[in-house]
Amino acid sequence: MKKTLSRTLTRPGFWAATAGQLFISTQIWVSLHVAFDPGTSFRDELWPAAVFFAVAITVSTLLSPLLERAILKDDARLSDEQAASLEWALRTGALPLATLFADWGPALEKRRRDLVFGQRLGPIFMAGLIALNVYDSSVDPDGLWFYWISAIVYAVLAVVGRVVGRRRIRRIGSLEQHLQELRGRVPSPR
């Protein structure tokens, strides 16, 4: 169950996330520039600078896992197969046989911490983006629709992120509990 580039590129979710990142990066660039230079409009900032910024951010995000692997050679990380099994378990809530042969405790705890951090920081970040778009709609009345649609998208993303984050935190807790029960029944090798 190795996660390869060809497998990643064939998933519709990957392309949806990439398109979403392009949209959000472009929108943030436009909003920040209109906020700091009220004499401009979203049309002035949209092309070419915002598009180039969005493409650069998206490409760097896509390449960051490759760079992370090259820079951070951490022996405590899970193998590709174990990481894929962990992802499958988080999606389905069922423990595969691989859990008997891998220590998922640190990986699950790290994911829980990351999700809790995201649950705290995400709403603050989204509220800032919504406030920025509301301010820009008053500064640039020609782009009123652009900023309000963006504010609504950020509000929806905040709610969806909160719901998905809570669900994943609960699923991690459930997997940790199942692992404890499984470890209690299966004698550990000495």
Side-chain angles (χ1 to χ4, degrees), residues 67-172:
L67 296 175
E68 178 185 320
R69 279 194 173 169
I71 294 170
L72 301 174
K73 290 289 187 180
D74 188 5
D75 294 333
R77 292 178 62 176
L78 297 175
S79 69
D80 290 339
E81 291 83 12
Q82 291 170 345
S85 294
L86 177 64
E87 283 298 320
W88 181 80
L90 287 172
R91 276 194 310 271
T92 62
L95 288 174
L97 185 59
T99 58
L100 294 175
F101 308 106
D103 184 19
W104 284 6
L108 286 172
E109 183 59 31
K110 182 185 180 320
R111 289 190 188 226
R112 178 196 304 278
R113 281 193 317 266
D114 291 346
L115 285 169
V116 168
F117 180 73
Q119 291 286 304
R120 291 183 183 147
L121 190 63
I124 295 168
F125 181 68
M126 289 299 180
L129 289 173
I130 291 169
L132 178 66
N133 281 293
V134 170
Y135 171 75
D136 284 345
S137 69
S138 67
V139 171
D140 181 20
D142 291 339
L144 185 72
W145 61 272
F146 178 78
Y147 302 116
W148 278 103
I149 288 174
S150 299
I152 291 169
V153 167
Y154 290 131
V156 168
L157 285 174
V159 169
V160 168
R162 192 87 170 146
V163 169
V164 169
R166 282 186 171 178
R167 184 180 315 146
R168 290 204 66 145
I169 289 170
R170 280 195 308 269
R171 189 159 289 159
I172 287 172

Side-chain angles (χ1 to χ4, degrees), residues 25-40:
S25 300
T26 302
Q27 201 285 319
I28 289 174
W29 176 275
V30 170
S31 294
L32 286 173
H33 278 266
V34 170
F36 288 122
D37 187 10
T40 62

